[in-house]
Amino acid sequence: MLDDNCLFCKIIEGVIPSTKVYEDEYCYAFNDINPQAPVHVIVVPKTHIASALEINDSNSLYVAKCFEAVKKIADSLGLEGFRVINNCGEDGGQTVMHLHFHILGGKKLSEKIV
Ligand code: AMP
Ligand code: ZN
């Protein structure tokens, strides 16, 4: 179920343009408009889940599929290693309220938060 008022739902629907990196039945991946690394891909479930706090029994398959997609994307881009980030909620720095995973890579990442 998509939400007409959500930026990433509009990207999934193609109402707002994006540079597609990967797509299947459950998820869509596109280049971040403001990349923080040579590779910066956003992976989103093709159903509106506002944040990681909204993951539950009825939608968790979409989340698992997003992580299967992460591997496929990393393989297709030839990434040796990468970082996956989810920002959750206002204090977590989340600005778009549709669950998404950042894939950062394409260089040796130096700064570690965890
Ligand atoms: P977050 O801060 O974790 O919510 O991440 C939101 C991300 O979405 C940011 O890295 C933005 O650069 C990215 N973003 C916002 N609008 C667009 C867009 N139209 N196309 C691609 N990426 C976007
Ligand atoms: Zn959405």
PDB file of all heavy atoms in Angstrom, residues 1-26:
ATOM      1  N   MET A   1       0.860  -1.197   0.000  1.00  0.00           N
ATOM      2  CA  MET A   1       0.000   0.000   0.000  1.00  0.00           C
ATOM      3  C   MET A   1       0.895   1.246   0.000  1.00  0.00           C
ATOM      4  O   MET A   1       1.734   1.406   0.868  1.00  0.00           O
ATOM      5  CB  MET A   1      -0.882  -0.020   1.251  1.00  0.00           C
ATOM      6  CG  MET A   1      -1.886   1.100   1.283  1.00  0.00           C
ATOM      7  SD  MET A   1      -3.447   0.677   0.539  1.00  0.00           S
ATOM      8  CE  MET A   1      -4.312   0.003   1.948  1.00  0.00           C
ATOM      9  N   LEU A   2       0.695   2.114  -0.986  1.00  0.00           N
ATOM     10  CA  LEU A   2       1.491   3.333  -1.070  1.00  0.00           C
ATOM     11  C   LEU A   2       0.692   4.515  -0.552  1.00  0.00           C
ATOM     12  O   LEU A   2      -0.533   4.464  -0.420  1.00  0.00           O
ATOM     13  CB  LEU A   2       1.952   3.557  -2.515  1.00  0.00           C
ATOM     14  CG  LEU A   2       2.862   2.447  -3.084  1.00  0.00           C
ATOM     15  CD1 LEU A   2       3.145   2.676  -4.556  1.00  0.00           C
ATOM     16  CD2 LEU A   2       4.153   2.339  -2.296  1.00  0.00           C
ATOM     17  N   ASP A   3       1.409   5.610  -0.251  1.00  0.00           N
ATOM     18  CA  ASP A   3       0.798   6.807   0.341  1.00  0.00           C
ATOM     19  C   ASP A   3       1.035   7.977  -0.623  1.00  0.00           C
ATOM     20  O   ASP A   3       2.188   8.347  -0.880  1.00  0.00           O
ATOM     21  CB  ASP A   3       1.467   7.063   1.701  1.00  0.00           C
ATOM     22  CG  ASP A   3       0.979   8.332   2.384  1.00  0.00           C
ATOM     23  OD1 ASP A   3       0.373   9.196   1.707  1.00  0.00           O
ATOM     24  OD2 ASP A   3       1.222   8.465   3.594  1.00  0.00           O
ATOM     25  N   ASP A   4      -0.046   8.550  -1.123  1.00  0.00           N
ATOM     26  CA  ASP A   4       0.043   9.621  -2.127  1.00  0.00           C
ATOM     27  C   ASP A   4       0.804  10.853  -1.632  1.00  0.00           C
ATOM     28  O   ASP A   4       1.259  11.666  -2.433  1.00  0.00           O
ATOM     29  CB  ASP A   4      -1.351  10.068  -2.571  1.00  0.00           C
ATOM     30  CG  ASP A   4      -2.009   9.036  -3.470  1.00  0.00           C
ATOM     31  OD1 ASP A   4      -1.283   8.129  -3.933  1.00  0.00           O
ATOM     32  OD2 ASP A   4      -3.233   9.125  -3.677  1.00  0.00           O
ATOM     33  N   ASN A   5       0.920  10.989  -0.317  1.00  0.00           N
ATOM     34  CA  ASN A   5       1.586  12.184   0.235  1.00  0.00           C
ATOM     35  C   ASN A   5       3.050  11.940   0.571  1.00  0.00           C
ATOM     36  O   ASN A   5       3.690  12.811   1.156  1.00  0.00           O
ATOM     37  CB  ASN A   5       0.851  12.645   1.499  1.00  0.00           C
ATOM     38  CG  ASN A   5      -0.563  13.071   1.182  1.00  0.00           C
ATOM     39  OD1 ASN A   5      -0.790  13.813   0.222  1.00  0.00           O
ATOM     40  ND2 ASN A   5      -1.519  12.575   1.954  1.00  0.00           N
ATOM     41  N   CYS A   6       3.555  10.764   0.207  1.00  0.00           N
ATOM     42  CA  CYS A   6       4.917  10.390   0.615  1.00  0.00           C
ATOM     43  C   CYS A   6       5.878  10.503  -0.570  1.00  0.00           C
ATOM     44  O   CYS A   6       5.613   9.967  -1.655  1.00  0.00           O
ATOM     45  CB  CYS A   6       4.884   8.960   1.165  1.00  0.00           C
ATOM     46  SG  CYS A   6       6.511   8.225   1.365  1.00  0.00           S
ATOM     47  N   LEU A   7       7.000  11.174  -0.352  1.00  0.00           N
ATOM     48  CA  LEU A   7       7.991  11.377  -1.413  1.00  0.00           C
ATOM     49  C   LEU A   7       8.468  10.056  -2.009  1.00  0.00           C
ATOM     50  O   LEU A   7       8.529   9.903  -3.237  1.00  0.00           O
ATOM     51  CB  LEU A   7       9.179  12.157  -0.833  1.00  0.00           C
ATOM     52  CG  LEU A   7      10.383  12.352  -1.735  1.00  0.00           C
ATOM     53  CD1 LEU A   7      10.044  13.245  -2.921  1.00  0.00           C
ATOM     54  CD2 LEU A   7      11.566  12.933  -0.962  1.00  0.00           C
ATOM     55  N   PHE A   8       8.844   9.106  -1.160  1.00  0.00           N
ATOM     56  CA  PHE A   8       9.392   7.855  -1.693  1.00  0.00           C
ATOM     57  C   PHE A   8       8.302   6.993  -2.341  1.00  0.00           C
ATOM     58  O   PHE A   8       8.586   6.267  -3.303  1.00  0.00           O
ATOM     59  CB  PHE A   8      10.170   7.087  -0.625  1.00  0.00           C
ATOM     60  CG  PHE A   8      11.525   7.702  -0.295  1.00  0.00           C
ATOM     61  CD1 PHE A   8      12.292   7.216   0.757  1.00  0.00           C
ATOM     62  CD2 PHE A   8      12.037   8.759  -1.047  1.00  0.00           C
ATOM     63  CE1 PHE A   8      13.537   7.772   1.062  1.00  0.00           C
ATOM     64  CE2 PHE A   8      13.277   9.328  -0.751  1.00  0.00           C
ATOM     65  CZ  PHE A   8      14.027   8.835   0.306  1.00  0.00           C
ATOM     66  N   CYS A   9       7.049   7.070  -1.853  1.00  0.00           N
ATOM     67  CA  CYS A   9       5.958   6.378  -2.557  1.00  0.00           C
ATOM     68  C   CYS A   9       5.797   6.972  -3.957  1.00  0.00           C
ATOM     69  O   CYS A   9       5.567   6.241  -4.929  1.00  0.00           O
ATOM     70  CB  CYS A   9       4.660   6.484  -1.775  1.00  0.00           C
ATOM     71  SG  CYS A   9       4.551   5.384  -0.334  1.00  0.00           S
ATOM     72  N   LYS A  10       5.939   8.298  -4.071  1.00  0.00           N
ATOM     73  CA  LYS A  10       5.832   8.941  -5.391  1.00  0.00           C
ATOM     74  C   LYS A  10       6.988   8.509  -6.302  1.00  0.00           C
ATOM     75  O   LYS A  10       6.808   8.351  -7.509  1.00  0.00           O
ATOM     76  CB  LYS A  10       5.820  10.470  -5.243  1.00  0.00           C
ATOM     77  CG  LYS A  10       4.525  11.006  -4.654  1.00  0.00           C
ATOM     78  CD  LYS A  10       4.603  12.518  -4.524  1.00  0.00           C
ATOM     79  CE  LYS A  10       3.370  13.069  -3.829  1.00  0.00           C
ATOM     80  NZ  LYS A  10       3.544  14.481  -3.461  1.00  0.00           N
ATOM     81  N   ILE A  11       8.160   8.317  -5.718  1.00  0.00           N
ATOM     82  CA  ILE A  11       9.300   7.826  -6.511  1.00  0.00           C
ATOM     83  C   ILE A  11       9.021   6.393  -6.981  1.00  0.00           C
ATOM     84  O   ILE A  11       9.251   6.048  -8.144  1.00  0.00           O
ATOM     85  CB  ILE A  11      10.609   7.935  -5.696  1.00  0.00           C
ATOM     86  CG1 ILE A  11      11.055   9.409  -5.667  1.00  0.00           C
ATOM     87  CG2 ILE A  11      11.701   7.037  -6.278  1.00  0.00           C
ATOM     88  CD1 ILE A  11      12.331   9.681  -4.906  1.00  0.00           C
ATOM     89  N   ILE A  12       8.487   5.552  -6.104  1.00  0.00           N
ATOM     90  CA  ILE A  12       8.146   4.171  -6.480  1.00  0.00           C
ATOM     91  C   ILE A  12       7.141   4.175  -7.632  1.00  0.00           C
ATOM     92  O   ILE A  12       7.245   3.398  -8.578  1.00  0.00           O
ATOM     93  CB  ILE A  12       7.577   3.409  -5.259  1.00  0.00           C
ATOM     94  CG1 ILE A  12       8.664   3.194  -4.205  1.00  0.00           C
ATOM     95  CG2 ILE A  12       6.944   2.082  -5.687  1.00  0.00           C
ATOM     96  CD1 ILE A  12       8.132   2.801  -2.829  1.00  0.00           C
ATOM     97  N   GLU A  13       6.160   5.076  -7.547  1.00  0.00           N
ATOM     98  CA  GLU A  13       5.116   5.142  -8.583  1.00  0.00           C
ATOM     99  C   GLU A  13       5.609   5.784  -9.873  1.00  0.00           C
ATOM    100  O   GLU A  13       4.924   5.723 -10.890  1.00  0.00           O
ATOM    101  CB  GLU A  13       3.922   5.952  -8.055  1.00  0.00           C
ATOM    102  CG  GLU A  13       3.113   5.226  -7.003  1.00  0.00           C
ATOM    103  CD  GLU A  13       1.988   6.080  -6.428  1.00  0.00           C
ATOM    104  OE1 GLU A  13       2.282   7.201  -5.959  1.00  0.00           O
ATOM    105  OE2 GLU A  13       0.842   5.642  -6.461  1.00  0.00           O
ATOM    106  N   GLY A  14       6.765   6.444  -9.808  1.00  0.00           N
ATOM    107  CA  GLY A  14       7.298   7.119 -10.986  1.00  0.00           C
ATOM    108  C   GLY A  14       6.753   8.520 -11.182  1.00  0.00           C
ATOM    109  O   GLY A  14       7.017   9.164 -12.199  1.00  0.00           O
ATOM    110  N   VAL A  15       5.995   9.011 -10.208  1.00  0.00           N
ATOM    111  CA  VAL A  15       5.444  10.369 -10.275  1.00  0.00           C
ATOM    112  C   VAL A  15       6.574  11.389 -10.115  1.00  0.00           C
ATOM    113  O   VAL A  15       6.570  12.447 -10.740  1.00  0.00           O
ATOM    114  CB  VAL A  15       4.377  10.575  -9.173  1.00  0.00           C
ATOM    115  CG1 VAL A  15       3.865  12.010  -9.142  1.00  0.00           C
ATOM    116  CG2 VAL A  15       3.224   9.593  -9.370  1.00  0.00           C
ATOM    117  N   ILE A  16       7.538  11.043  -9.253  1.00  0.00           N
ATOM    118  CA  ILE A  16       8.759  11.842  -9.103  1.00  0.00           C
ATOM    119  C   ILE A  16       9.893  11.015  -9.705  1.00  0.00           C
ATOM    120  O   ILE A  16      10.019   9.821  -9.406  1.00  0.00           O
ATOM    121  CB  ILE A  16       9.027  12.168  -7.620  1.00  0.00           C
ATOM    122  CG1 ILE A  16       7.974  13.168  -7.127  1.00  0.00           C
ATOM    123  CG2 ILE A  16      10.436  12.711  -7.406  1.00  0.00           C
ATOM    124  CD1 ILE A  16       8.073  13.491  -5.659  1.00  0.00           C
ATOM    125  N   PRO A  17      10.695  11.618 -10.591  1.00  0.00           N
ATOM    126  CA  PRO A  17      11.743  10.845 -11.270  1.00  0.00           C
ATOM    127  C   PRO A  17      12.878  10.433 -10.335  1.00  0.00           C
ATOM    128  O   PRO A  17      13.151  11.101  -9.335  1.00  0.00           O
ATOM    129  CB  PRO A  17      12.247  11.809 -12.349  1.00  0.00           C
ATOM    130  CG  PRO A  17      11.861  13.165 -11.887  1.00  0.00           C
ATOM    131  CD  PRO A  17      10.643  13.027 -11.022  1.00  0.00           C
ATOM    132  N   SER A  18      13.512   9.327 -10.680  1.00  0.00           N
ATOM    133  CA  SER A  18      14.683   8.872  -9.924  1.00  0.00           C
ATOM    134  C   SER A  18      15.553   8.061 -10.871  1.00  0.00           C
ATOM    135  O   SER A  18      15.110   7.652 -11.940  1.00  0.00           O
ATOM    136  CB  SER A  18      14.247   7.998  -8.741  1.00  0.00           C
ATOM    137  OG  SER A  18      13.633   6.804  -9.206  1.00  0.00           O
ATOM    138  N   THR A  19      16.789   7.857 -10.461  1.00  0.00           N
ATOM    139  CA  THR A  19      17.688   6.998 -11.239  1.00  0.00           C
ATOM    140  C   THR A  19      17.647   5.606 -10.645  1.00  0.00           C
ATOM    141  O   THR A  19      18.228   5.345  -9.582  1.00  0.00           O
ATOM    142  CB  THR A  19      19.129   7.553 -11.203  1.00  0.00           C
ATOM    143  OG1 THR A  19      19.094   8.905 -11.646  1.00  0.00           O
ATOM    144  CG2 THR A  19      20.042   6.736 -12.112  1.00  0.00           C
ATOM    145  N   LYS A  20      16.927   4.710 -11.315  1.00  0.00           N
ATOM    146  CA  LYS A  20      16.728   3.350 -10.790  1.00  0.00           C
ATOM    147  C   LYS A  20      18.030   2.553 -10.816  1.00  0.00           C
ATOM    148  O   LYS A  20      18.754   2.559 -11.809  1.00  0.00           O
ATOM    149  CB  LYS A  20      15.667   2.627 -11.620  1.00  0.00           C
ATOM    150  CG  LYS A  20      15.389   1.215 -11.143  1.00  0.00           C
ATOM    151  CD  LYS A  20      14.122   0.652 -11.750  1.00  0.00           C
ATOM    152  CE  LYS A  20      14.356   0.003 -13.087  1.00  0.00           C
ATOM    153  NZ  LYS A  20      13.135  -0.650 -13.598  1.00  0.00           N
ATOM    154  N   VAL A  21      18.281   1.866  -9.722  1.00  0.00           N
ATOM    155  CA  VAL A  21      19.444   0.978  -9.623  1.00  0.00           C
ATOM    156  C   VAL A  21      18.987  -0.480  -9.611  1.00  0.00           C
ATOM    157  O   VAL A  21      19.652  -1.361 -10.147  1.00  0.00           O
ATOM    158  CB  VAL A  21      20.253   1.308  -8.346  1.00  0.00           C
ATOM    159  CG1 VAL A  21      21.380   0.312  -8.128  1.00  0.00           C
ATOM    160  CG2 VAL A  21      20.789   2.728  -8.411  1.00  0.00           C
ATOM    161  N   TYR A  22      17.834  -0.732  -8.994  1.00  0.00           N
ATOM    162  CA  TYR A  22      17.324  -2.102  -8.865  1.00  0.00           C
ATOM    163  C   TYR A  22      15.830  -2.030  -8.562  1.00  0.00           C
ATOM    164  O   TYR A  22      15.365  -1.083  -7.914  1.00  0.00           O
ATOM    165  CB  TYR A  22      18.041  -2.839  -7.723  1.00  0.00           C
ATOM    166  CG  TYR A  22      17.484  -4.215  -7.469  1.00  0.00           C
ATOM    167  CD1 TYR A  22      17.873  -5.305  -8.253  1.00  0.00           C
ATOM    168  CD2 TYR A  22      16.531  -4.425  -6.477  1.00  0.00           C
ATOM    169  CE1 TYR A  22      17.329  -6.560  -8.045  1.00  0.00           C
ATOM    170  CE2 TYR A  22      15.976  -5.679  -6.264  1.00  0.00           C
ATOM    171  CZ  TYR A  22      16.380  -6.741  -7.051  1.00  0.00           C
ATOM    172  OH  TYR A  22      15.836  -7.977  -6.851  1.00  0.00           O
ATOM    173  N   GLU A  23      15.098  -3.052  -9.031  1.00  0.00           N
ATOM    174  CA  GLU A  23      13.668  -3.120  -8.705  1.00  0.00           C
ATOM    175  C   GLU A  23      13.209  -4.561  -8.750  1.00  0.00           C
ATOM    176  O   GLU A  23      13.640  -5.333  -9.613  1.00  0.00           O
ATOM    177  CB  GLU A  23      12.858  -2.298  -9.727  1.00  0.00           C
ATOM    178  CG  GLU A  23      11.359  -2.290  -9.453  1.00  0.00           C
ATOM    179  CD  GLU A  23      10.598  -1.331 -10.369  1.00  0.00           C
ATOM    180  OE1 GLU A  23      11.124  -0.978 -11.457  1.00  0.00           O
ATOM    181  OE2 GLU A  23       9.484  -0.949  -9.986  1.00  0.00           O
ATOM    182  N   ASP A  24      12.365  -4.954  -7.813  1.00  0.00           N
ATOM    183  CA  ASP A  24      11.653  -6.231  -7.916  1.00  0.00           C
ATOM    184  C   ASP A  24      10.263  -6.025  -7.333  1.00  0.00           C
ATOM    185  O   ASP A  24       9.824  -4.889  -7.128  1.00  0.00           O
ATOM    186  CB  ASP A  24      12.443  -7.380  -7.260  1.00  0.00           C
ATOM    187  CG  ASP A  24      12.642  -7.218  -5.766  1.00  0.00           C
ATOM    188  OD1 ASP A  24      11.811  -6.548  -5.111  1.00  0.00           O
ATOM    189  OD2 ASP A  24      13.636  -7.758  -5.235  1.00  0.00           O
ATOM    190  N   GLU A  25       9.572  -7.139  -7.064  1.00  0.00           N
ATOM    191  CA  GLU A  25       8.187  -7.049  -6.584  1.00  0.00           C
ATOM    192  C   GLU A  25       8.089  -6.311  -5.244  1.00  0.00           C
ATOM    193  O   GLU A  25       7.082  -5.670  -4.945  1.00  0.00           O
ATOM    194  CB  GLU A  25       7.651  -8.482  -6.440  1.00  0.00           C
ATOM    195  CG  GLU A  25       6.205  -8.598  -6.073  1.00  0.00           C
ATOM    196  CD  GLU A  25       5.803 -10.059  -5.848  1.00  0.00           C
ATOM    197  OE1 GLU A  25       6.567 -10.969  -6.251  1.00  0.00           O
ATOM    198  OE2 GLU A  25       4.730 -10.272  -5.257  1.00  0.00           O
ATOM    199  N   TYR A  26       9.147  -6.423  -4.435  1.00  0.00           N
ATOM    200  CA  TYR A  26       9.070  -5.942  -3.052  1.00  0.00           C
ATOM    201  C   TYR A  26       9.824  -4.644  -2.778  1.00  0.00           C
ATOM    202  O   TYR A  26       9.568  -3.983  -1.779  1.00  0.00           O
ATOM    203  CB  TYR A  26       9.618  -7.010  -2.096  1.00  0.00           C
ATOM    204  CG  TYR A  26       8.790  -8.246  -2.055  1.00  0.00           C
ATOM    205  CD1 TYR A  26       9.120  -9.344  -2.851  1.00  0.00           C
ATOM    206  CD2 TYR A  26       7.670  -8.332  -1.231  1.00  0.00           C
ATOM    207  CE1 TYR A  26       8.355 -10.499  -2.815  1.00  0.00           C
ATOM    208  CE2 TYR A  26       6.900  -9.481  -1.189  1.00  0.00           C
ATOM    209  CZ  TYR A  26       7.243 -10.555  -1.985  1.00  0.00           C
ATOM    210  OH  TYR A  26       6.484 -11.693  -1.954  1.00  0.00           O
TER     211      TYR A  26
END
